[in-house]
């Protein structure tokens, strides 16, 4: 067999015993530093390398200290995932039960919040600590669908000996991340797991589709809440002089007067009534509304404008975490932090590397490997600058000269934006940045 890479569909077409032997040999040879008969899939190979760097023992078990019942219930109560559990159960748990598998839902840390499915498999899952309150991040359980989907930020299937810890070699699992459509924050993972004999490559597509369905339901809920806020805010804005906008708790606009409408306004994490400076508006008077906030923009010719002009002096781009990236802006007027989408994290990282700036064509080459994709770059940079206009200049795109920029990178270069295929990021992972 030539040294190509494993393919899940080819694997499924093989005799089960032969496929199992092949996977075990690939794992054994790869972890021993030898050339296997066929290369592991890239997502698995990258995860195994992370496990080696962590010093994780492939012969360890998967048991963890479970969450206390009150903490488990608190996490269930406070996660938005609880709103879509009925959908997840209806769409996935029944299928999992019928196919001798179970559905598992975790939070953004990989802690199991709920599980449903085949009773026999649930009992087997107890034996590997795949139970409510258990931790299933890669740091705890090695390469597995839940943990690796968390690390990569995308749907992942892990079968048999692709698991790093040998305790899991009799299992197959497919998992997909679920994001909050309001701010793209990772909420958790939905997973289907079961005995390896139940492996089928189509399970990954099923899980991914159900995760997207859950996100669509949350999006509909959000739109309905915006409509409710608009009905409250519209008559108030009719009486407000000057510029004002009504937003929900995540900054999404419900109604506006005296200014051009925008989809969303970046709000600081600690947001309360009073006077506050916002990067996209300047100094604002903030008043509570049912389901959101009323932001009255103060006169730009007054003290607020002077404060806004010197509001940003330092930017910290935090890429140290495997799946949650953020930018923090601070200055005399205060500070605020915004979580970043994968694409915006890539763009800001490239601009942090090139303080002299990048043209749209250069950014297209850095991020897509294609200098012609300038329209996409300009659209993405327009979105980035909505909230970072005070620290980002353009023509070329760059961080303002007077702003100090710090990049907080992961401990190992190979863990930098692990989802990214951008040439600039891949080069940095290899230490060539």
């Amino acid at each position: 067999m030539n040294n190509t890479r494993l393919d899940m569909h080819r694997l499924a077409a093989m005799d089960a015993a032969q496929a199992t032997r092949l996977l075990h040999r690939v794992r054994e040879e790869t972890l021993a530093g030898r050339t296997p008969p066929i290369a592991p899939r890239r997502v698995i190979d990258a995860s195994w390398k992370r496990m080696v760097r962590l010093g994780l023992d492939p012969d360890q078990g998967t048991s963890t200290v479970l969450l206390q019942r009150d903490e488990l219930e608190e996490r269930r109560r406070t996660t938005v995932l609880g709103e879509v559990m009925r959908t997840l159960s209806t769409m996935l748990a029944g299928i999992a039960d019928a196919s001798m598998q179970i559905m598992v839902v975790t939070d953004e840390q990989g802690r199991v919040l709920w599980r449903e499915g085949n009773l026999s498999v649930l009992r087997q899952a107890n034996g590997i600590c795949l139970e409510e309150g258990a931790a299933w991040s890669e740091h705890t359980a090695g390469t597995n669908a839940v943990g690796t989907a968390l690390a990569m930020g995308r749907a992942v299937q892990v079968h048999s000996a692709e698991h790093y810890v040998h305790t899991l070699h009799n299992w197959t699992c497919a998992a997909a991340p679920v994001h909050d459509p309001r701010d793209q924050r990772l909420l958790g993972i939905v997973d289907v797991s079961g005995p390896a004999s139940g492996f089928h490559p189509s399970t990954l597509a099923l899980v991914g589709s159900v995760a997207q369905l859950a996100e669509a339901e949350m999006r509909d809920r959000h739109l309905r809440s915006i409509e409710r806020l608009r009905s409250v805010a519209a008559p108030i804005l009719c009486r407000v002089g000057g510029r004002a906008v009504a937003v929900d708790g995540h900054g999404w606009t419900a109604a506006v007067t005296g200014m051009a409408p925008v989809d969303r306004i970046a709000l600081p994490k600690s947001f309360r009534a009073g006077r506050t400076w916002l990067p996209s508006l300047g100094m604002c008077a903030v008043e509570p509304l049912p389901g959101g906030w009323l932001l009255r923009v103060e006169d730009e010719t007054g003290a607020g404008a002077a404060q806004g002009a010197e509001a940003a002096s330092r930017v910290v781009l935090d890429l140290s975490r495997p799946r949650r990236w953020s930018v923090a802006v601070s200055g005399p007027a205060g500070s605020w932090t915004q979580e970043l989408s994968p694409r915006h994290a890539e763009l800001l990282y490239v601009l942090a590397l090139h303080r002299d700036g990048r043209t749209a064509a250069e950014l297209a080459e850095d991020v897509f490997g294609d200098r012609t994709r300038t329209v996409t770059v300009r659209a993405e940079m327009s979105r980035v600058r909505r909230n970072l206009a005070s620290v980002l200049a353009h023509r070329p795109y760059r961080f303002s000269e007077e702003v100090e920029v710090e990049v907080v990178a992961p401990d190992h270069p190979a863990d930098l934006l692990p989802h990214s295929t951008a040439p600039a990021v891949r080069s940095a992972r290899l230490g060539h940045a």
Side-chain angles (χ1 to χ4, degrees), residues 321-370:
R321 294 170 294 181
R323 58 189 179 275
R324 295 184 69 175
W325 312 284
S326 64
V327 59
V329 180
S330 59
S335 62
W336 60 277
T337 301
Q338 178 185 353
E339 291 197 3
L340 298 170
S341 69
R343 182 68 70 218
H344 292 176
E346 290 171 338
L347 288 166
L348 291 178
Y349 175 68
V350 171
L351 295 181
L353 291 181
H354 300 278
R355 289 302 305 273
D356 55 340
R358 303 296 273 174
T359 65
E362 288 171 333
L363 278 177
E365 178 70 28
D366 293 330
V367 174
F368 300 108
D370 181 355

Side-chain angles (χ1 to χ4, degrees), residues 248-262:
D248 72 358
H250 293 263
W252 287 96
T253 301
V256 64
T257 186
M259 54 188 287
V262 294

Side-chain angles (χ1 to χ4, degrees), residues 181-182 216-230 248 252-254:
R182 297 170 296 184
E217 180 179 336
M218 288 186 283
R219 188 175 297 108
D220 288 342
R221 289 173 179 264
H222 173 232
L223 292 175
R224 290 196 296 271
S225 71
I226 289 291
E227 286 298 325
R228 290 192 296 270
L229 177 58
R230 181 175 294 117
D248 72 358
W252 287 96
T253 301

Side-chain angles (χ1 to χ4, degrees), residues 8 11 23 41 157-163 171-173 196 199:
M8 298 303 269
L11 197 68
L23 285 173
R41 293 185 295 137
Q157 189 167 25
V158 181
H159 176 55
S160 185
E162 289 186 319
H163 290 93
W171 286 78
T172 187
C173 49
F199 164 72

Side-chain angles (χ1 to χ4, degrees), residues 87-88 91-93 95-96 99 101-105 145-146 149 154-158 172-178 188-194 200-215:
T87 296
L88 294 176
M91 300 299 298
L92 207 53
I95 296 175
S99 59
Q101 298 185 93
I102 61 174
M103 178 193 76
V104 174
V105 179
V146 168
R154 62 181 176 87
V156 174
Q157 189 167 25
V158 181
T172 187
C173 49
V178 181
I189 297 291
V190 57
D191 165 87
V192 168
S193 293
H200 197 285
S202 65
T203 306
L204 183 62
L206 171 65
V207 174
S209 296
V210 173
Q212 291 176 1
L213 185 63
E215 291 176 350

